Every structure is written in C-alpha cells, then in structure tokens.
Amino acid sequence: MTEDILATLNKEQAEAVKQIAGPILILAGAGSGKTKALTCRIAYLLEQGIRPYNILAITFTNKAAKEMRQRVDKLVGENAKDVWLFTFHGFCSRILRREIGNLPGYSNSFSIYDPTDCKAVLKDSLKKLNLDEKYYPVNMLVGTISNAKNAMINAKTYAKRADNFHAEKVGEIYAQYEKALIHNNAVDFDDLLLLVLEIFQTHPEVLAKYQQKFNYVLIDEYQDTNHVQYML
C-alpha cells in the first residue's frame, strides 16, 4: 500500500509525505498538488502505524473537507474513519460539545446560530436599546461584530476603543448581542473558534489534553488563516 501511495507522487511530494518527524511547510502554486500531498501524507502516517485519532487535518470549506475525507477513505479504507478531518469550525464545534462547560453560562447542549438567527438577535438588541435600525443596519452590525471577533476584540474592548458616538452605540449593541447569546445558550460561527481559544488559554489542563492527543496537525491552505485560526 505504501508503494502505491508514493507511486502517484512526484519527488518533492513524496519527500513531504514521508517526513513524519518535525514540522513541514509545503509552498507551491495553485493546482500543483498540495492537497493531494496532504491526503497522501495522512494515508502514509496511517500505514506507518500512527493511530488515526492522533491525526488532526484541517481545511477551510465543507466541500474541501468532504473531498479530503473521500480521498483518505479511498486510500486507506476503514482505518481512516477515526482521523479528525474537519473545517476549522467543524473541529471547534466538536471540541465545544465536549468542553464548553468550562465557560460560565454555557452547557454542552448549546445551539449554533446561523446568520438569520444572529440578525434576529441583533434586531431584538436594537429594540432593547431603543436604537433605530436605520442608523444601525443589521447587515452592517453582523459584519462589524464578525470582524471584531476575528480580530479577537470582545465587546468590552470594542467599547473602550470607540472614538465617536456611533462606535460607542455599536459597542453597546455588541455587548447586548453577546448577553443574549449566552442567555439563550447559543453561539455564532465566530464564537466556535473564539470560545475554543478562550478555553485553551484559560484552562491549561484542557489544552494539554488536546496537545497530547494530536501528534500530527495538518492544515490545508494555511496561508489563508486569520488571527484566531493562527492562534488556535
């Protein structure tokens, strides 16, 4: 099987696949086979006796994750099913189902709000603050809060940095929105990453558990990571 895997690769790809000790970075242009090398590396690791649940593979889209899963399953078969192969959000969702109880106000039965749900919460937040949606459009608020979260700026920090009346009010809306999410035992897509990062940063014993679990971490399209993903 190992020979079959390597036979489909060029020299550089094979070299990347066979390096199983220490970090490795693959730099190559679009369409040159980086993802193929990554999937073959997972198969090669399994062939070398690495346990599937010690491997974490991350990609950016559900489509890419599905395709990668299919490729690995085809190469390896049943032994691949316990490889953790997810998008960043899928990975963090799985961690949160196990660990969110470490954060006050949440339980493992939390809901994940989609953009429609989030807009409804924001509209309700505007009503509670007696603010006019005309001056604080919901679509703008969705983008502003998402950008803040991806920059690791929480509502309290956002409010401190506000330098005009409008920004101050957006900070209040942000805070009300977060309060409503916690009250509803709900998270938005950005929270999936942020809350896992918060747990890892404030509960070293949880971080150590996953550091010891994942001996091999493979990330597709790593150059596209934002700050939160980089910190994770």
Side-chain angles (χ1 to χ4, degrees), residues 148 153-165 167-175:
I153 300 170
N154 60 24
K156 188 174 182 180
T157 302
Y158 189 96
K160 283 183 179 179
R161 294 183 182 181
D163 57 1
N164 57 63
F165 178 81
E168 288 175 5
K169 291 302 175 183
V170 170
E172 291 179 19
I173 298 165
Y174 186 179

Side-chain angles (χ1 to χ4, degrees), residues 9-20:
L9 306 173
N10 63 34
K11 178 184 175 183
E12 289 77 16
Q13 289 171 328
E15 184 180 353
V17 165
K18 289 191 292 182
Q19 182 180 321
I20 61 173

Side-chain angles (χ1 to χ4, degrees), residues 43-90:
Y44 185 82
L45 290 170
L46 294 171
E47 285 289 304
Q48 300 308 302
I50 305 302
R51 294 172 179 173
Y53 47 80
N54 292 141
I55 301 172
L56 170 64
I58 297 288
T59 189
F60 275 81
T61 67
N62 290 324
K63 180 181 178 183
K66 182 179 179 180
E67 289 177 355
M68 195 181 298
R69 169 64 68 186
Q70 290 172 342
R71 288 188 192 183
V72 174
D73 289 349
K74 186 176 180 180
L75 284 169
V76 181
E78 184 71 14
N79 193 33
K81 68 180 179 65
D82 290 326
V83 173
W84 280 47
L85 203 166
F86 297 104
T87 62
F88 271 103
H89 291 87

Side-chain angles (χ1 to χ4, degrees), residues 34-145:
K34 296 187 299 295
T35 302
K36 179 181 180 181
L38 190 150
T39 54
C40 287
R41 189 163 189 253
I42 294 171
Y44 185 82
L45 290 170
L46 294 171
E47 285 289 304
Q48 300 308 302
I50 305 302
R51 294 172 179 173
Y53 47 80
N54 292 141
I55 301 172
L56 170 64
I58 297 288
T59 189
F60 275 81
T61 67
N62 290 324
K63 180 181 178 183
K66 182 179 179 180
E67 289 177 355
M68 195 181 298
R69 169 64 68 186
Q70 290 172 342
R71 288 188 192 183
V72 174
D73 289 349
K74 186 176 180 180
L75 284 169
V76 181
E78 184 71 14
N79 193 33
K81 68 180 179 65
D82 290 326
V83 173
W84 280 47
L85 203 166
F86 297 104
T87 62
F88 271 103
H89 291 87
F91 165 65
C92 288
S93 175
R94 188 161 180 177
I95 296 290
L96 282 184
R97 289 295 176 196
R98 300 176 176 204
E99 308 294 349
I100 201 170
N102 288 287
L103 298 176
Y106 294 101
S107 75
N108 293 344
S109 60
F110 67 88
S111 300
I112 301 174
Y113 278 4
D114 65 20
T116 300
D117 298 322
C118 295
K119 288 177 182 179
V121 174
L122 283 167
K123 286 186 177 183
D124 187 61
S125 298
L126 288 170
K127 287 181 181 178
K128 288 182 176 178
L129 295 169
N130 197 28
L131 295 172
D132 192 336
E133 189 177 336
K134 180 171 68 174
Y135 299 107
Y136 304 93
V138 169
N139 287 335
M140 178 275 291
L141 294 171
V142 168
T144 299
I145 292 173

Side-chain angles (χ1 to χ4, degrees), residues 96 106 149 177-178 181 186-196:
L96 282 184
Y106 294 101
K149 289 187 175 187
Y177 170 77
E178 289 293 280
L181 288 181
V187 302
D188 61 25
F189 287 154
D190 297 313
D191 287 333
L192 292 173
L193 278 64
L194 271 179
L195 295 181
V196 169

